[in-house]
Amino acid sequence: MTEPVRSPRSDRSPWYWLLLIPIVLPLVTPLFNRDSPRLWGFPAFYWLQFLFIFVGVATTSVVYQMTKRPARTSAPETPEAVDE
Amino acid sequence: MSDHITEIIVFSLLFLLVSGMGFVAARWRAPKDMAHLDEWGLGGRSFGGWITWFLVGGDLYTAYTFVAVPALIFGAGAAGFFAVPYTVVIYPLFFLILIRLWSVSHRHGFVTPADFVRSRFDSPLLALLVAITGIVATMPYIALQLVGIEAVLKTMGVTGDSALARHLPIIIAFAILAAYTYQSGLRAPALIAFVKDTLIYIVIIVAVLYLPYKLGGWGSIFDDANAKFQASNSTGDGITLNANNQIQYITLALGSALALFLYPHSITGVLASKNRNVIKRNMSALPAYSFLLGLIALLGYMAISAGVTPLPGAKAGSLDSNTVVPLLFDQQFPSWFAGVAFAAIGIGALVPAAIMSIAAANLFTRNIYKEYLKKDATPAQEANVSKITSLVVKVGAVACIIFLDPQFSIDLQLIGGIIILQTGPSVALGLFTRWLHRWALIAGWAAGMGMGMWMLYNIPNANTGRKHFGGSAFPLSDLGFDSPKTIYVGFVAVAVNLLVAVIATLVLRAAKTPDGIDHTNPDDYFADEGDPRLEKARTTPDADPITSST
């Protein structure tokens, strides 16, 4: 996974390490493999895994915001408006 | 049949609406020249945030998911819930890996993962293996979409005695699908995905609010399921995992996530987006589907609570568990709404089937036709070959369903996930490092394939009484471990693949075997929209970047 980065342009950022959380957390079954406590009738096994979805969304959003490139001057873009 | 007439009418109307949209899609975001593989097969590489969201989402959450995951939960309980961690793990991985594939593909005009492998490792043979693996893994996946539609049709009573009568609705549906995909390419599923997802969201939101209310609340749904699993004499079920299937749960979730982004159709969806930010943004928005998937999965428990009994399967005495969700809707909803729900599943089959057939067609065109049959094919010829191949692929998928037992397609899909994983070292690791030798990757691919097939061959299925290809959970005791635990076959196979690739690389490097020229350069992996070298490279896909740039 180590590649000599000769170019000045690179993706390297410590923020990417955050992505390990949503990759590892949902795979540690001993953490959540139980019935209680229940939440609105859902056993812990289920509501905790639903919760991990939000953890995933939160970490990916943070990493996206922190590693986002400024819009290029050569190609002005407004990402929100391009779909229409 | 007559007592399902409202459902059939609603289903047919929505189906026809979507088909009309498929044909109109050719003119949507009108391209200058549809006779180019980039336009037909990748929607002009122009899709922004919203379209990519619907396209990739439509790709990953298929009719089969809606039908099979709840069926698994219905039968086995917690083990079937692996689909949720699986779709949580996917997006950070996509975020880290596919972004690089997008950049390098954009700069070099790659349409398929095999295009990338060919340039990176300078090996047409390795590219061919990746392409064939992709096509073989995709075909049964398309066939499975038909299994999803069939479960719905069966529930509506649209079924006959002869094989032809039973399959006629599917043949018609697929003929329409084939016609508009031929005409509109990737634009058709991209446009239809809006309708598909809207319907699915409506159905699921209504289902998770209304059904628990009818069935006495979530608590009693889980209690009913628990009671059923307590009473059954199977050891693998329960509303939580037991001591023996946790490793299986973890490896299956991780393995499926890795397999999913290697499938040609998910790569197609990603390559069609217009820039890196679109992809990154989507990776934080797409988990909305994971939430949906988790709720859909729980329909399996609602079916237990509602006392659903699956319809008979193809063989006498067997049950078709794929019908539990359609039956639940049929029994619990007013018939017009059940019709909407069935249309959601049916249309949910068309979107991924279209994208998959396009992806398989692109692989054939770029990595077999252009590589081996007609080296100087023009972009227009490429687009034409892809269009025709996409038809052939769909005919093949329909033939799979008509002439084979649908159970066989499910088994093929099981194998499909495991074989597509074997392209991981060359495609995914290749994006980060070129350390692995091209011949070592070929050796690893062969070893992983062999190991995977051998393991699958040795897994019996207790429920159907078959001796081989009965599932993807391999007992660790068969590998010499003193343990009753099981592990996902794909995980072991890809580990063997990597091990062989590493050892072979060390040997080949020591023997100073030439490892070809890397036609990509480090900067390619970070290129973004508006890159001055990008537009130039697009017209000469396989040209060496050094010579094609000024």
Side-chain angles (χ1 to χ4, degrees):
Chain A
M1 297 260 173
T2 51
E3 171 191 76
V5 180
R6 273 168 280 153
S7 121
R9 190 153 62 168
S10 161
D11 261 356
R12 250 145 239 266
S13 161
W15 288 102
Y16 285 117
W17 289 103
L18 265 188
L19 293 178
L20 271 180
I21 299 171
I23 296 176
V24 173
L25 189 63
L27 300 177
V28 191
T29 49
L31 275 184
F32 53 84
N33 187 29
R34 61 188 58 133
D35 193 316
S36 62
R38 288 200 176 194
L39 186 68
W40 299 307
F42 285 79
F45 181 79
Y46 299 89
W47 68 260
L48 276 170
Q49 293 192 76
F50 275 112
L51 188 70
F52 295 159
I53 298 173
F54 292 102
V55 173
V57 171
T59 46
T60 341
S61 305
V62 168
V63 176
Y64 165 62
Q65 290 301 333
M66 291 312 187
T67 60
K68 186 163 67 170
R69 287 202 195 134
R72 303 175 66 86
T73 44
S74 57
E77 56 154 345
T78 46
E80 296 344 293
V82 288
D83 281 0
E84 277 73 45
Chain B
M1 183 158 164
S2 57
D3 47 333
H4 294 284
I5 203 76
T6 319
E7 290 171 4
I8 294 169
I9 290 170
V10 173
F11 178 86
S12 308
L13 283 178
L14 285 167
F15 207 88
L16 285 176
L17 167 82
V18 158
S19 305
M21 288 176 69
F23 286 106
V24 174
R27 273 177 290 175
W28 177 54
R29 300 165 60 87
K32 284 184 220 79
D33 178 17
M34 201 62 178
H36 192 294
L37 195 54
D38 266 11
E39 291 299 341
W40 183 84
L42 287 179
R45 301 185 192 253
S46 65
F47 292 157
W50 282 105
I51 303 173
T52 303
W53 193 71
F54 282 110
L55 191 64
V56 177
D59 223 1
L60 307 189
Y61 302 92
T62 68
Y64 186 64
T65 322
F66 303 141
V67 159
V69 173
L72 201 55
I73 294 257
F74 179 88
F81 210 65
F82 84 93
V84 170
Y86 147 53
T87 56
V88 172
V89 169
I90 283 173
Y91 299 108
L93 287 173
F94 264 61
F95 194 104
L96 292 170
I97 298 171
L98 284 189
I99 196 94
R100 295 170 71 93
L101 183 62
W102 183 91
S103 286
V104 71
S105 300
H106 243 58
R107 198 173 253 180
H108 291 267
F110 301 148
V111 177
T112 68
D115 282 349
F116 161 70
V117 166
R118 189 194 186 294
S119 284
R120 176 68 146 169
F121 294 102
D122 200 10
S123 171
L125 176 62
L126 185 57
L128 180 68
L129 292 177
V130 170
I132 291 174
T133 311
I135 295 170
V136 170
T138 304
M139 291 282 286
Y141 214 147
I142 301 173
L144 277 192
Q145 302 312 314
L146 295 165
V147 173
I149 304 187
E150 250 192 354
V152 166
L153 292 173
K154 220 164 157 179
T155 309
M156 289 196 295
V158 184
T159 177
D161 292 328
S162 73
L164 186 68
R166 194 162 64 239
H167 294 296
L168 196 61
I170 285 195
I171 296 172
I172 295 169
F174 251 54
I176 299 172
L177 169 72
Y180 65 67
T181 314
Y182 182 87
Q183 190 189 340
S184 311
L186 197 62
R187 284 177 169 79
L191 191 59
I192 294 172
F194 287 92
V195 182
K196 172 206 157 195
D197 286 352
T198 309
L199 287 177
I200 285 170
Y201 272 99
I202 293 172
V203 169
I204 292 307
I205 289 166
V206 170
V208 299
L209 294 176
Y210 175 72
L211 292 180
Y213 163 78
K214 265 190 97 171
L215 299 170
W218 283 105
S220 70
I221 289 171
F222 283 106
D223 289 339
D224 290 346
N226 198 23
K228 178 198 155 179
F229 295 132
Q230 297 283 337
S232 86
N233 47 21
S234 161
T235 51
D237 58 9
I239 61 166
T240 55
L241 299 171
N242 59 42
N244 296 337
N245 58 12
Q246 291 200 38
I247 294 176
Q248 167 72 9
Y249 191 83
I250 297 164
T251 51
L252 182 59
L254 185 59
S256 308
L258 293 170
L260 187 68
F261 79 77
L262 292 167
Y263 269 113
H265 58 272
S266 10
I267 292 176
T268 299
V270 168
L271 292 188
S273 54
K274 67 194 284 276
N275 61 36
R276 288 169 70 101
N277 278 349
V278 164
I279 300 172
K280 286 189 170 183
R281 210 149 21 98
N282 259 291
M283 293 312 130
S284 53
L286 278 165
Y289 285 105
S290 313
F291 201 79
L292 192 66
L293 182 72
L295 295 173
I296 292 172
L298 294 179
L299 290 173
Y301 286 155
M302 295 189 199
I304 294 176
S305 190
V308 169
T309 316
L311 291 177
K315 270 178 272 175
S318 69
L319 289 174
D320 182 359
S321 63
N322 287 328
T323 55
V324 295
V325 166
L327 283 171
L328 177 70
F329 290 158
D330 183 54
Q331 291 168 10
Q332 300 291 324
F333 285 141
S335 50
W336 68 271
F337 193 75
V340 174
F342 292 168
I345 298 176
I347 297 165
L350 298 184
V351 173
I355 306 171
M356 288 167 194
S357 68
I358 289 169
N362 288 348
L363 278 169
F364 175 80
T365 306
R366 291 301 291 259
N367 310 106
I368 296 175
Y369 172 74
K370 194 174 169 161
E371 183 78 46
Y372 294 98
L373 301 175
K374 191 164 170 30
K375 281 213 183 286
D376 56 346
T378 64
Q381 284 170 328
E382 280 184 7
N384 216 17
V385 170
S386 252
K387 287 166 95 166
I388 293 165
T389 313
S390 81
L391 295 181
V392 175
V393 167
K394 286 194 206 72
V395 171
V398 172
C400 275
I401 291 295
I402 295 178
F403 298 110
L404 302 173
D405 180 354
Q407 180 57 44
F408 192 65
S409 297
I410 296 170
D411 298 338
L412 285 178
Q413 149 68 4
L414 184 77
I415 299 169
I418 288 156
I419 68 170
I420 198 73
L421 267 173
Q422 307 314 319
T423 64
S426 43
V427 178
L429 284 184
L431 287 165
F432 290 91
T433 173
R434 204 173 172 271
W435 183 78
L436 291 167
H437 193 282
R438 52 184 173 175
W439 289 105
L441 285 166
I442 292 169
W445 178 91
M449 275 312 171
M451 183 71 184
M453 290 307 117
W454 175 78
M455 290 171 82
L456 284 174
Y457 183 80
N458 284 304
I459 298 175
N461 188 324
N463 295 332
T464 56
R466 282 173 320 132
K467 289 196 184 72
H468 307 295
F469 297 103
S472 64
F474 191 81
L476 280 176
S477 56
D478 287 12
L479 288 173
F481 293 93
D482 181 22
S483 160
K485 297 177 167 61
T486 58
I487 191 164
Y488 176 53
V489 170
F491 199 80
V492 179
V494 85
V496 168
N497 178 339
L498 264 178
L499 188 69
V500 169
V502 167
I503 294 171
T505 297
L506 292 171
V507 172
L508 290 162
R509 291 249 184 280
K512 303 232 182 327
T513 314
D515 66 351
I517 302 158
D518 185 358
H519 291 275
T520 68
N521 65 48
D523 189 48
D524 289 343
Y525 297 89
F526 311 110
D528 204 350
E529 189 192 18
D531 186 290
R533 275 168 51 190
L534 193 145
E535 300 305 319
K536 205 175 284 178
R538 241 177 94 169
T539 49
T540 51
D542 285 322
D544 189 323
I546 314 299
T547 54
S548 69
S549 66
T550 42

